[in-house]
Amino acid sequence: MSADEGNNSAAGFDISDHQPAYVFTPSKNSDDASIRPTKRRKIAKLSRPAHEQIDAPAFEFESLLNGLESSECALLGEANEGTLAEVTYFVQDTTQTGHIVPAGFIVTGPNIASQSLLFSQLSKKLKEEINGPVVTLRSGDASNLKAALKHLIREATNQRSADGDEEGGAVFERDGRKLLNYDLEILNEYVKAHGTKKVIVAFQDSEAFDSVFIAELITLFSSWIDRIPFVLLFGVATSVELFHERLSRAASRSLYGAQFDVEQTSLILERVFQKAIAGVKAPLRLGPVLVSSLMERQHDHAQSVQAFTAALKYAYMCHFYANPLSCFNDSRRNSASMKKMLQPEHYEAIRMLPSFQMLIESLAKNQDTTLAQELLEKDDVLLRKVEKSLDSKEQDMTRRLRCMHVLYVASGESAGRIDLYLKAFTGTLGDSEIVRGVLDSVKKVSPEDLLAFLERIKVAMETGNPDLDLEGWLEEVRDTELFQEMVDIEKQVSTLVNESAKNGKPVRSSYNIHSKGLRTTVIAQKVQLSYEKSSLSEEDVKYTAIVDRLSKALEKYFTFENTQGVFMNEVWLYDSISPHRDVFTPRPRFAIERALSAPQDYLDSCDADGEALSANKPATAILYQMYLESGTLVNISDIWTAFYSIIGGAAGDGYDERTALMLFYRGLADLKLLGMVKQSKKKMDHLAKSAWKGLTQKLRRVAGKDGWTSPDVIRTSGARGSAI
Amino acid sequence: MKRKKQSEDSTNGHNDEPTSKRARSGKLWNLGAEAVLVNEDETTFPTRGNDQLDNNTEEEEQEATPFQESSYDKDEVDEDESDKVEQATERSAESEADGVPANERQRERINGGLTNSAKKTDANGTTPVKGPRGKKLFSTPSKTRHTTDETPKLERHVNRSARRKSTRNLIERIVLGNTSDNEEGEEDIEGHIYGSGDDEEEEDEDAAQEEREANDEIPVDAPETPSKKRGRRKGSKNKQPSPPPTDLPAHELYFSQNRGGRSKTSNNTLSSLQLLDHEEYFTLLRTFVDPHTNDVEWLQELHAGSFNQWQFELSQNFNICLFGWGSKRSLLMSFAEHIYNSQMDHSQNKIVVVNGYVLTLTIRDVLNTIAAALTNPAPRLGSQPTDMLENLLSVLGEDTSRHITVIIHAIDRAPLRRPATQIILSRLSCHPQIQLVASADHPWFPLLWDSSLRSMYNFLFHDCTTFQPYSSEIDVVEEVHELLGRSGRRVGGKEGVSFVLKSLPENAKNLFRVLIGEQLAAMDDSSGAVYGKDDDDDDDEDDEAQTGSRRHQEGVEYRVLYQKAVEEFICSNEMNFRTLLKEFHDHQMIQSRKDALGTEMLSVPFRKEELEMILEDIVS
């Protein structure tokens, strides 16, 4: 088949290969027919189990995705809701005075990728609310005045053409003479005919327009404003001041308007994150590695929220497409239906999980060999254990999230929620700097502030967090250790406060001493210290003990185990970044360089003996190797000689000269396709080299390294500075 | 002496402007100077000019005497030595001419070095005499001629002062018969033979190493230095003739290749090679059996294994972009078939294939074909691509159960590269009823899209390295001939031109003769300038662009040609002139191009030799 097809592609000149575009119809050649059945059978075989897998959790997977998408869309809508309402109000409310055009400046921030969503929402909303056409101009649509006007008129008049085609036709003629299609007179007629109140022109990316052109357009609009009720909207990525500077004075004089700020992407992102990743109801948790890589990509490449949600969606897709155990991840499961669905392979797969192995190991360590054996041998026992662990996982998750919320509140809402999430899931939250900071501050606060702090935590427990879908859980924890401790502490502290109020002597903990006053010399500090120590009252000592108790209790509360150690975490935790890296941040240059410089990685018939130039590599790879070794100028004649000496018949088994030349041609044309060579004008028969291997990769690595080292560098230098 | 050397060092070091070739060659040669300074200070001074010579020698004598007794001393040997050196030079020159492989040359050189050094150690013990050395200096010219006659490249460089200095020093050393310098000289020659920038790097490294050595050792026991040097020298020399280093880190390699300076390549041309034409190419291709066929097949099978995954991704409103080395045409076509086979209702679901590599493709074709796939007869979409897109999307929106899969081969090729086109494609692709599967070949294709386009496309990228030949994507022969600057072969070579000319009237022939004559004259001017420049200046990008554009302009201005034609009574008015030119245009015998100032330039797309032959044909 291969030889046939090769010949076909070369000899049988298929007309469709060189047609610009055509509608696909499957080839029904007789020679193809012999191939296809086998192929189809193969694919069918492959696809069936895959389909079953999708089908099985389909009810669950689809609902999950839909849930995510709808909630995220709602979020985006909500985020822009305020802006939309303001703009709509502004548009409705404006009345023109003289030749001044009302204009709304929508400051969107630098993320141009989210502009299109905002403007489509805007035009949708305005179309609903306002009697009049809404035209969105993009810099790509209109390069000059004429094109912009054409576009504007066409968009404005076509919008209503559905309900009245005859009017649309009539507009173009007036008094028997035809109007040019960029004459605003047409729009005027249209406005009169429809009784339009407003004509809204939105410039989506106003920075990308030529400033002269925008100024011209504005002056033109202002001269028509007595007949056509224009309202302009500008999407401004920088600031209104900068935009103003770009305009001519005449143009800016004929504008008046208001500024609208759009909620920044990072805020929206955080909300999406809370809802979709950290939310209580999320059935699938994303691991810390993946989340941090997603966040990094988001920050480094200033992507839109849509790109982020697409990445999230892809994570879900990967999990449910590639992991057969994802069928356990269904909140509505019960053991009966489970048993029916599960195949022996599922149990086999569970036993292969690293977390299962860890479980067995720990059982063996605890001398609980019977259970371990049963788990290994009996499917029923295993299933029960799995269900139990999945149930406990729900509680564990809830506890984690509650704790995160408490910590967030306790830290005075300064800690980033995303950061908290990452730490909570790697199990490093307990000794993270955030917790440390909270505990330290608890030790130092005055009793009054401590009471307020306890109250804050209580309120947090009572109300939960709607963003995380977290409901208040105060009732549940009434009898837990921490809460009891807190109540107890609160009581003691309030008595202390009362006493101190009577005494008129403030109570403070021993930790609070150093922060009071600034010492100029070491000796003074020492003196002060001893003085303070000795002057600690009984209340102070008591209070210090209380504070210590609280901080211990909190520390215990904030400590978790790493999620990766929990049995069955593979079912509800997805933490693999390689599919995302491959699929969202492609490295085409690296791929091509690798293919050409190491074809043995792909083709078995090239031996991998490490020799860069050998005749059994594809022609282009040989040529590429020579190309890499040459300088900026490549003599074609010499490279041909070298090429022929490798591939040619010197050894007796090579190609003859003409065939070698044919391969040389092909390789050269390939290199040209890749943009690696061009004709050099400097010398006859020379090529100019324009690509070097491995540069992007290197840069990336260097950048990554810098990113890692710099904080350390700062820290060490800081430490040194303080030491000195 | 140490002080002097350092000052010399510092001046050399600071003068090294990376852009100036002169300075570089000075530096390059510096290691020679360094060695000289180390071994025998006095020899460098004569190069500074005859007027200084006397003072320096005096000064020299005072400073240098302490070691002279022990180290330099071989008057009797001098003659032998210099003979040997001559031989060695001749040998290396010969080997260069014969194209003897580098290692052989090296072996010879090592042998030479060994014998020389042996000679030298024998000769220790006699006192040097200043006089003869000075005389030798003036006897050098004959030797210079001797050397340069055989290495023409050297001759050119001798004319420049830095080079002159280095050559003179080289000669000095040869004459004075110091062995280690002798090697140095050969290295210098070798540098010329090798010619690539990488050698310079090695030499620089060497120089650095020598400097280090010099700094370390000389102050301690200067008299010993020469012999020590010799020993070390051999070691460093062994790696010298190895081909340009390939194991440098990527960025080092980039800088070493791009450092400017001489980028030396041979002057060989392909004139002796009979190039392929389309017919021969395809005949050869048809008989050619690719030894990798099975592996290539296997790769495709491997990628085909993920068809289901791709389909799933498409169903989730993602679009797919394939990249990687090799033609992805057949892979995508079998994916199309896979989609087609999995679709139940072929009237509602259509697959449209777009060949992005077809040069005549426009975005209108894409939109019209999609529209034609939607409804029959195809709706009229309008003429402006943006209108067409709007209309198409509204037609599409009429029935939301219809789905179109658009397969674009080579979305990054020239016909679809324009930003406006990409915007339209991205807006098309983000419609929920459209699924886009594209392939991209260029290594830098992601640069086509900014972040807003990227989020519109919503691409998932898959690495599909297929190793399949781009058989229908590239017109191989045409592309290669363009690279070779032989696009004139389109007409059928110069025979074709003569054939066409035969059928044209006398006037046309004359006009063509005038055109060729003018073009040849222009070529002579500019190429002279270019080649002269090439030798003098750095090969940096700017320079190339400049000379490149100059070379490009070596046509004849339309006005000038018209004037000439009128003067020679070939035509009487512009109309006439145009008609004549049209004939040439039709046969692709001339090219017209507007330069930066907007003046129209006419040229005949042949190389100089061919033009000369054509001219001879016409005249005879």
Side-chain angles (χ1 to χ4, degrees):
Chain A
M1 170 211 163
S2 60
D4 270 349
E5 206 167 69
N7 277 355
N8 279 351
S9 60
F13 178 83
D14 190 356
I15 190 73
S16 69
D17 287 359
H18 298 275
Q19 232 171 326
Y22 59 95
V23 180
F24 176 79
T25 44
S27 53
K28 293 201 169 66
N29 302 345
S30 55
D31 55 331
D32 264 331
S34 61
I35 311 151
R36 222 190 306 133
T38 60
K39 223 180 193 174
R40 195 190 284 160
R41 211 176 300 138
K42 207 172 185 181
I43 285 166
K45 229 185 239 167
L46 274 176
S47 68
R48 202 162 297 131
H51 270 300
E52 267 168 32
Q53 273 173 29
I54 302 172
D55 286 346
F59 53 93
E60 202 270 335
F61 162 67
E62 290 295 331
S63 72
L64 167 70
L65 271 185
N66 290 343
L68 168 74
E69 278 181 320
S70 60
S71 74
E72 150 236 319
C73 283
L75 267 177
L76 291 181
E78 263 171 50
N80 290 332
E81 194 62 46
T83 323
L84 294 185
E86 280 178 43
V87 173
T88 317
Y89 179 74
F90 167 78
V91 170
Q92 278 172 332
D93 205 40
T94 51
T95 46
Q96 91 242 7
T97 46
H99 278 281
I100 304 229
V101 189
F105 299 95
I106 304 169
V107 183
T108 56
N111 198 334
I112 56 163
S114 61
Q115 271 183 350
S116 58
L117 177 79
L118 174 69
F119 273 83
S120 66
Q121 282 178 338
L122 197 59
S123 79
K124 201 171 140 204
K125 170 130 186 156
L126 287 175
K127 267 180 213 165
E128 283 168 9
E129 307 241 332
I130 285 160
N131 175 23
V134 183
V135 181
T136 307
L137 285 178
R138 291 176 205 85
S139 54
D141 295 340
S143 49
N144 57 40
L145 196 59
K146 205 157 133 184
L149 288 177
K150 265 189 206 170
H151 182 86
L152 167 65
I153 290 164
R154 197 181 50 236
E155 291 270 302
T157 49
N158 276 1
Q159 273 170 341
R160 289 280 202 83
S161 60
D163 52 80
D165 263 336
E166 64 288 344
E167 285 163 317
V171 159
F172 282 83
E173 278 183 45
R174 188 181 166 220
D175 309 338
R177 66 190 165 85
K178 260 196 147 135
L179 294 171
L180 291 167
N181 59 355
Y182 50 87
D183 195 337
L184 280 178
E185 192 62 43
I186 300 169
L187 192 60
N188 188 19
E189 291 287 324
Y190 175 86
V191 167
K192 265 193 231 160
H194 287 84
T196 310
K197 291 276 183 326
K198 300 278 186 251
V199 176
I200 298 146
V201 185
F203 295 81
Q204 185 174 317
D205 41 354
S206 67
E207 272 89 358
F209 285 92
D210 183 24
S211 58
V212 180
F213 161 60
I214 278 205
E216 273 179 358
L217 214 52
I218 290 171
T219 37
L220 186 70
F221 287 155
S222 84
S223 66
W224 277 88
I225 190 112
D226 50 346
R227 285 153 287 172
I228 308 174
F230 281 115
V231 177
L232 306 183
L233 294 177
F234 294 95
V236 182
T238 50
S239 72
V240 176
E241 287 74 27
L242 277 176
F243 180 77
H244 184 235
E245 267 172 35
R246 290 176 65 225
L247 287 183
S248 70
R249 193 172 293 176
S252 52
R253 219 183 294 133
S254 48
L255 281 182
Y256 88 90
Q259 178 179 338
F260 307 97
D261 288 316
V262 178
E263 195 166 347
Q264 288 305 304
T265 327
S266 55
L267 289 176
I268 303 175
L269 194 69
E270 190 146 313
R271 284 164 70 175
V272 172
F273 175 85
Q274 286 181 21
K275 203 88 180 175
I277 302 179
V280 175
K281 287 176 187 149
L284 177 67
R285 300 283 161 193
L286 300 186
V289 181
L290 178 63
V291 170
S292 62
S293 90
L294 285 181
M295 287 299 157
E296 195 178 318
R297 191 161 76 94
Q298 201 68 28
H299 290 305
D300 289 357
H301 302 284
Q303 278 172 326
S304 63
V305 182
Q306 291 97 300
F308 181 71
T309 51
L312 280 189
K313 182 173 171 182
Y314 195 73
Y316 293 127
M317 282 164 62
C318 281
H319 185 70
F320 287 103
Y321 187 83
N323 189 350
L325 296 179
S326 58
C327 58
F328 283 105
N329 198 355
D330 178 14
S331 46
R332 288 164 299 168
R333 85 196 123 72
N334 55 51
S335 36
S337 69
M338 246 351 192
K339 224 173 207 169
K340 218 170 18 175
M341 200 173 66
L342 290 181
Q343 299 162 353
E345 286 83 4
H346 280 109
Y347 295 107
E348 204 59 29
I350 293 172
R351 293 200 175 102
M352 290 296 160
L353 294 177
S355 69
F356 178 79
Q357 288 165 7
M358 274 155 70
L359 176 76
I360 294 293
E361 271 169 29
S362 72
L363 284 177
K365 225 179 258 168
N366 299 336
Q367 308 293 324
D368 196 353
T369 43
T370 45
L371 180 58
Q373 203 163 3
E374 275 183 343
L375 281 178
L376 281 167
E377 283 165 1
K378 291 185 184 158
D379 289 348
D380 288 352
V381 181
L382 182 62
L383 184 60
R384 244 176 287 136
K385 176 77 187 163
V386 165
E387 285 183 332
K388 217 173 96 194
S389 82
L390 287 179
D391 286 338
S392 71
K393 159 245 162 183
E394 304 274 323
Q395 286 159 15
D396 180 56
M397 269 311 118
T398 323
R399 199 176 89 78
R400 258 171 227 265
L401 292 172
R402 284 171 179 174
C403 177
M404 271 170 57
H405 183 58
V406 167
L407 185 55
Y408 179 70
V409 173
S411 69
E413 319 204 343
S414 63
R417 284 201 188 267
I418 298 171
D419 199 26
L420 282 179
Y421 179 85
L422 295 181
K423 295 220 163 78
F425 272 71
T426 42
T428 57
L429 191 64
D431 39 58
S432 67
E433 280 181 24
I434 307 166
V435 171
R436 196 93 26 92
V438 169
L439 295 183
D440 282 350
S441 68
V442 161
K443 284 176 182 172
K444 284 179 190 168
V445 292
S446 68
E448 291 82 7
D449 289 343
L450 190 71
L451 286 179
F453 175 78
L454 290 173
E455 189 57 35
R456 261 205 332 261
I457 293 184
K458 241 193 212 164
V459 168
M461 286 178 165
E462 210 172 325
T463 54
N465 185 352
D467 276 347
L468 292 165
D469 293 327
L470 204 58
E471 284 159 11
W473 67 93
L474 195 62
E475 293 308 314
E476 293 172 37
V477 294
R478 277 233 181 267
D479 46 354
T480 58
E481 201 184 325
L482 176 77
F483 193 76
Q484 295 300 334
E485 193 90 348
M486 272 170 61
V487 172
D488 191 30
I489 288 170
E490 199 174 354
K491 238 182 255 161
Q492 292 189 17
V493 171
S494 45
T495 49
L496 270 179
V497 169
N498 287 340
E499 276 172 32
S500 77
K502 267 183 239 158
N503 297 350
K505 206 171 145 200
V507 183
R508 52 173 192 252
S509 73
S510 67
Y511 302 100
N512 198 19
I513 293 164
H514 310 295
S515 63
K516 211 185 148 216
L518 190 76
R519 304 292 144 221
T520 45
T521 61
V522 177
I523 294 168
Q525 206 167 0
K526 267 184 190 160
V527 170
Q528 184 74 17
L529 193 70
S530 52
Y531 164 72
E532 292 271 5
K533 266 247 164 80
S534 60
S535 74
L536 276 180
S537 65
E538 202 179 316
E539 285 82 26
D540 287 346
V541 175
K542 223 190 250 171
Y543 180 61
T544 310
I546 291 173
V547 159
D548 279 343
R549 243 173 79 203
L550 178 65
S551 96
K552 272 209 193 87
L554 282 175
E555 191 172 354
K556 200 171 155 206
Y557 181 63
F558 288 139
T559 310
F560 300 104
E561 166 188 17
N562 188 348
T563 41
Q564 240 118 29
V566 180
F567 177 49
M568 291 300 281
N569 71 68
E570 288 87 350
V571 169
W572 46 265
L573 186 73
Y574 179 78
D575 196 12
S576 160
I577 53 169
S578 61
H580 277 73
R581 213 172 27 203
D582 293 346
V583 143
F584 288 107
T585 48
R587 296 198 291 165
R589 185 170 171 183
F590 171 73
I592 288 173
E593 280 170 357
R594 177 170 172 202
L596 287 181
S597 57
Q600 66 271 14
D601 291 0
Y602 295 88
L603 305 174
D604 282 339
S605 47
C606 307
D607 13 301
D609 53 1
E611 206 172 310
L613 292 168
S614 66
N616 59 14
K617 285 185 178 174
T620 314
I622 298 175
L623 208 56
Y624 180 69
Q625 194 59 41
M626 293 173 172
Y627 166 83
L628 286 182
E629 286 170 10
S630 60
T632 43
L633 269 186
V634 186
N635 184 321
I636 303 181
S637 167
D638 287 352
I639 206 170
W640 153 241
T641 318
F643 180 79
Y644 181 49
S645 72
I646 283 177
I647 209 174
D653 53 348
Y655 300 105
D656 62 289
E657 193 190 4
R658 303 311 285 178
T659 311
L661 186 61
M662 184 270 288
L663 290 173
F664 182 70
Y665 262 52
R666 202 149 92 176
L668 217 52
D670 285 346
L671 287 187
K672 189 177 177 226
L673 173 78
L674 298 179
M676 291 177 172
V677 291
K678 59 180 193 229
Q679 193 193 350
S680 169
K681 307 292 174 194
K682 230 176 245 176
K683 244 173 156 183
M684 176 106 72
D685 282 343
H686 273 61
L687 297 175
K689 183 173 172 174
S690 57
W692 277 262
K693 193 191 156 214
L695 287 182
T696 45
Q697 208 186 347
K698 195 80 202 170
L699 283 177
R700 183 180 287 209
R701 206 177 304 144
V702 167
K705 219 193 231 164
D706 278 355
W708 280 110
T709 52
S710 57
D712 288 339
V713 170
I714 292 166
R715 210 169 297 140
T716 50
S717 68
R720 197 174 301 141
S722 64
I724 290 163
Chain B
M1 180 173 160
K2 182 188 169 194
R3 176 175 37 81
K4 193 170 291 172
K5 197 186 67 59
Q6 277 171 345
S7 70
E8 185 86 13
D9 272 356
S10 66
T11 46
N12 283 331
H14 291 300
N15 287 343
D16 257 343
E17 287 298 326
T19 45
S20 142
K21 170 110 182 208
R22 192 159 294 181
R24 180 167 298 110
S25 64
K27 181 183 177 185
L28 176 117
W29 128 250
N30 230 348
L31 68 146
E34 213 55 65
V36 173
L37 278 165
V38 169
N39 294 325
E40 33 176 42
D41 255 355
E42 63 274 32
T43 46
T44 49
F45 288 103
T47 62
R48 288 181 186 165
N50 291 337
D51 47 343
Q52 281 185 2
L53 182 63
D54 293 344
N55 304 338
N56 287 334
T57 356
E58 275 166 28
E59 196 183 300
E60 188 68 58
E61 265 172 309
Q62 288 166 356
E63 280 191 37
T65 21
F67 346 107
Q68 270 172 1
E69 288 199 350
S70 58
S71 46
Y72 315 112
D73 40 37
K74 38 222 151 137
D75 255 353
E76 313 116 297
V77 196
D78 258 352
E79 289 302 322
D80 287 5
E81 285 271 35
S82 56
D83 280 350
K84 266 210 178 321
V85 172
E86 265 176 48
Q87 281 171 14
T89 334
E90 268 172 19
R91 236 183 290 136
S92 79
E94 276 165 21
S95 67
E96 183 204 10
D98 298 345
V100 177
N103 48 1
E104 269 180 51
R105 249 183 296 137
Q106 180 216 354
R107 216 172 299 131
E108 281 179 20
R109 197 145 32 81
I110 292 170
N111 292 340
L114 281 173
T115 46
N116 284 349
S117 59
K119 268 268 154 56
K120 199 188 161 188
T121 31
D122 286 346
N124 267 351
T126 26
T127 343
V129 185
K130 276 283 127 125
R133 230 173 263 163
K135 265 174 199 163
K136 285 254 160 70
L137 168 68
F138 299 108
S139 69
T140 41
S142 64
K143 298 232 161 91
T144 321
R145 238 174 282 127
H146 183 64
T147 342
T148 48
D149 277 350
E150 294 194 8
T151 50
K153 236 172 223 164
L154 259 180
E155 191 178 35
R156 233 184 290 139
H157 297 306
V158 166
N159 296 331
R160 263 166 286 112
S161 63
R163 293 224 167 260
R164 203 184 299 141
K165 186 177 161 192
S166 71
T167 322
R168 244 193 245 164
N169 266 303
L170 170 71
I171 294 155
E172 286 301 319
R173 274 176 285 133
I174 290 170
V175 170
L176 292 168
N178 185 298
T179 37
S180 58
D181 292 342
N182 197 353
E183 286 162 17
E184 204 63 73
E186 284 201 25
E187 274 167 23
D188 211 355
I189 292 168
E190 190 187 62
H192 291 300
I193 298 165
Y194 259 118
S196 79
D198 300 295
D199 279 293
E200 288 183 20
E201 166 131 323
E202 285 211 355
E203 284 174 22
D204 284 355
E205 276 168 20
D206 258 13
Q209 194 191 334
E210 276 172 33
E211 264 170 40
R212 252 176 280 127
E213 280 176 20
N215 287 335
D216 291 343
E217 288 168 18
I218 296 204
V220 188
D221 48 357
E224 294 293 311
T225 333
S227 60
K228 266 199 177 172
K229 268 233 103 111
R230 236 177 291 130
R232 202 143 308 189
R233 182 39 59 86
K234 257 174 272 153
S236 69
K237 203 180 49 177
N238 280 338
K239 65 165 192 182
Q240 188 76 10
S242 65
T246 47
D247 51 349
L248 286 175
H251 55 284
E252 291 292 345
L253 194 65
Y254 172 81
F255 286 118
S256 81
Q257 291 186 351
N258 261 321
R259 94 175 60 205
R262 315 150 297 171
S263 168
K264 288 238 182 83
T265 50
S266 72
N267 285 324
N268 298 341
T269 61
L270 285 173
S271 48
S272 60
L273 187 70
Q274 202 202 335
L275 298 175
L276 295 174
D277 55 17
H278 283 90
E279 197 183 333
E280 192 181 1
Y281 175 79
F282 283 112
T283 320
L284 287 166
L285 189 65
R286 235 164 278 149
T287 54
F288 174 70
V289 183
D290 190 351
H292 304 293
T293 318
N294 286 333
D295 284 334
V296 170
E297 285 271 303
W298 176 78
L299 271 178
Q300 170 141 353
E301 288 276 305
L302 193 74
H303 295 309
S306 40
F307 279 171
N308 277 313
Q309 186 196 333
W310 295 354
Q311 214 175 352
F312 173 58
E313 286 165 358
L314 284 180
S315 75
Q316 295 299 322
N317 280 336
F318 284 102
N319 295 309
I320 289 180
C321 179
L322 307 182
F323 64 93
W325 168 245
S327 167
K328 292 160 280 292
R329 244 192 111 262
S330 70
L331 182 68
L332 276 182
M333 291 324 280
S334 54
F335 184 47
E337 218 150 285
H338 176 81
I339 295 175
Y340 188 87
N341 291 334
S342 68
Q343 282 168 347
M344 298 299 154
D345 185 359
H346 292 301
S347 61
Q348 291 290 335
N349 299 303
K350 298 275 184 181
I351 301 172
V352 172
V353 181
V354 178
N355 290 328
Y357 51 83
V358 175
L359 291 176
T360 52
L361 175 74
T362 60
I363 188 68
R364 290 191 186 86
D365 295 335
V366 179
L367 297 175
N368 278 328
T369 318
I370 295 173
L374 273 177
T375 51
N376 202 13
R380 275 178 48 83
L381 293 180
S383 57
Q384 285 300 311
T386 38
D387 301 356
M388 293 171 75
L389 179 70
E390 295 299 331
N391 293 336
L392 178 65
L393 293 185
S394 66
V395 171
L396 202 58
E398 283 167 16
D399 182 359
T400 47
S401 66
R402 281 183 299 197
H403 287 276
I404 303 262
T405 307
V406 183
I407 293 181
I408 302 183
H409 298 297
I411 197 172
D412 57 341
R413 286 289 282 273
L416 297 177
R417 250 180 221 171
R418 285 181 49 232
T421 314
Q422 290 290 338
I423 287 173
I424 289 178
L425 280 181
S426 71
R427 285 176 63 191
L428 185 70
S429 75
C430 70
H431 193 275
Q433 282 165 268
I434 301 247
Q435 301 167 336
L436 177 68
V437 186
S439 73
D441 299 315
H442 201 278
W444 292 280
F445 75 86
L447 298 178
L448 277 177
W449 308 312
D450 63 12
S451 75
S452 100
L453 272 183
R454 264 290 271 277
S455 75
M456 292 263 265
Y457 270 123
N458 204 10
F459 268 136
L460 296 179
F461 296 90
H462 292 286
D463 181 353
C464 288
T465 303
T466 62
F467 273 93
Q468 287 180 11
Y470 291 96
S471 45
S472 43
E473 284 95 328
I474 321 180
D475 183 349
V476 172
V477 178
E478 191 66 34
E479 295 283 323
V480 172
H481 285 162
E482 205 176 297
L483 270 184
L484 301 180
R486 311 288 212 287
S487 36
R489 292 178 69 87
R490 227 176 295 157
V491 213
K494 65 180 173 49
E495 291 80 14
V497 172
S498 323
F499 184 77
V500 173
L501 282 180
K502 267 189 204 120
S503 64
L504 289 178
E506 195 62 29
N507 270 349
K509 244 185 258 179
N510 282 333
L511 179 61
F512 204 68
R513 174 177 54 78
V514 171
L515 176 58
I516 291 183
E518 289 292 315
Q519 189 175 336
L520 278 175
M523 267 183 182
D524 280 344
D525 289 351
S526 65
S527 68
V530 168
Y531 285 126
K533 213 173 155 51
D534 196 2
D535 285 331
D536 278 352
D537 275 5
D538 286 345
D539 286 357
D540 54 19
E541 234 7 79
D542 286 348
D543 188 31
E544 187 177 353
Q546 208 181 10
T547 51
S549 62
R550 201 182 311 157
R551 267 290 281 262
H552 248 301
Q553 284 164 18
E554 66 189 18
V556 184
E557 222 177 287
Y558 175 83
R559 278 279 130 209
V560 173
L561 187 64
Y562 176 61
Q563 285 301 329
K564 284 265 178 196
V566 172
E567 277 167 26
E568 301 215 8
F569 301 108
I570 293 168
C571 54
S572 52
N573 57 32
E574 197 162 344
M575 229 358 215
N576 217 327
F577 180 64
R578 279 254 164 231
T579 344
L580 289 174
L581 283 185
K582 172 117 191 349
E583 194 75 41
F584 298 146
H585 261 300
D586 290 349
H587 290 99
Q588 292 177 313
M589 284 158 62
I590 59 170
Q591 289 177 339
S592 110
R593 159 176 21 81
K594 288 233 164 61
D595 70 2
L597 296 172
T599 47
E600 191 179 353
M601 305 293 287
L602 299 170
S603 61
V604 184
F606 284 99
R607 298 187 309 150
K608 200 175 157 196
E609 298 81 38
E610 287 170 314
L611 284 178
E612 277 162 0
M613 283 158 92
I614 296 171
L615 189 61
E616 274 171 31
D617 272 5
I618 300 174
V619 176
S620 63

